[in-house]
Amino acid sequence: MLSLAVFVWLLTLHPAVSGRIYAAYGGIYIFTALLWLRFVDQVALTCWDVMGGIVVDWR
Protein backbone atom coordinates (compact mmCIF):
# COMPACT_ATOMS: atom_id res chain seq x y z
CA MET A 1 0.00 0.00 0.00
CA LEU A 2 2.84 2.36 0.80
CA SER A 3 4.51 1.97 -2.59
CA LEU A 4 1.18 2.57 -4.35
CA ALA A 5 0.58 5.69 -2.26
CA VAL A 6 4.05 6.98 -3.16
CA PHE A 7 3.38 6.25 -6.83
CA VAL A 8 0.11 8.20 -6.76
CA TRP A 9 1.76 11.07 -4.91
CA LEU A 10 4.53 11.22 -7.53
CA LEU A 11 1.87 11.43 -10.26
CA THR A 12 0.55 14.61 -8.67
CA LEU A 13 3.96 16.30 -8.94
CA HIS A 14 3.85 16.33 -12.75
CA PRO A 15 0.20 16.34 -13.84
CA ALA A 16 1.09 17.12 -17.48
CA VAL A 17 2.85 13.76 -17.94
CA SER A 18 0.87 11.66 -15.47
CA GLY A 19 -0.87 9.75 -18.29
CA ARG A 20 2.45 8.67 -19.77
CA ILE A 21 3.76 7.70 -16.36
CA TYR A 22 0.66 5.62 -15.68
CA ALA A 23 0.97 3.94 -19.09
CA ALA A 24 4.60 3.05 -18.34
CA TYR A 25 3.50 1.57 -15.02
CA GLY A 26 0.92 -0.55 -16.81
CA GLY A 27 3.51 -1.81 -19.29
CA ILE A 28 5.87 -2.79 -16.50
CA TYR A 29 3.02 -4.53 -14.69
CA ILE A 30 2.10 -6.60 -17.76
CA PHE A 31 5.74 -7.46 -18.50
CA THR A 32 6.24 -8.61 -14.92
CA ALA A 33 3.03 -10.65 -15.02
CA LEU A 34 4.22 -12.48 -18.15
CA LEU A 35 7.60 -13.18 -16.55
CA TRP A 36 5.87 -14.50 -13.44
CA LEU A 37 3.61 -16.72 -15.52
CA ARG A 38 6.58 -18.16 -17.39
CA PHE A 39 9.19 -18.62 -14.67
CA VAL A 40 7.25 -18.95 -11.41
CA ASP A 41 4.10 -20.71 -12.57
CA GLN A 42 6.05 -22.64 -15.23
CA VAL A 43 3.44 -21.96 -17.91
CA ALA A 44 4.71 -21.79 -21.48
CA LEU A 45 3.74 -18.50 -23.09
CA THR A 46 1.76 -18.78 -26.28
CA CYS A 47 2.18 -16.68 -29.36
CA TRP A 48 -0.91 -14.72 -28.26
CA ASP A 49 0.62 -13.97 -24.85
CA VAL A 50 3.76 -12.57 -26.43
CA MET A 51 1.87 -10.62 -29.09
CA GLY A 52 -0.46 -9.17 -26.46
CA GLY A 53 2.51 -8.09 -24.36
CA ILE A 54 4.08 -6.41 -27.38
CA VAL A 55 0.86 -4.62 -28.31
CA VAL A 56 0.27 -3.14 -24.88
CA ASP A 57 3.92 -2.20 -24.37
CA TRP A 58 4.23 -0.69 -27.83
CA ARG A 59 4.87 3.00 -27.66
Side-chain angles (χ1 to χ4, degrees), residues 39-52:
F39 295 110
V40 176
D41 291 340
Q42 299 293 314
V43 175
L45 299 178
T46 67
C47 171
W48 296 108
D49 296 327
V50 174
M51 285 181 12

Side-chain angles (χ1 to χ4, degrees), residues 1-15 18 21:
M1 263 186 358
L2 181 61
S3 64
L4 184 58
V6 170
F7 173 73
V8 171
W9 174 73
L10 288 172
L11 283 177
T12 64
L13 297 178
H14 299 286
S18 62
I21 294 169

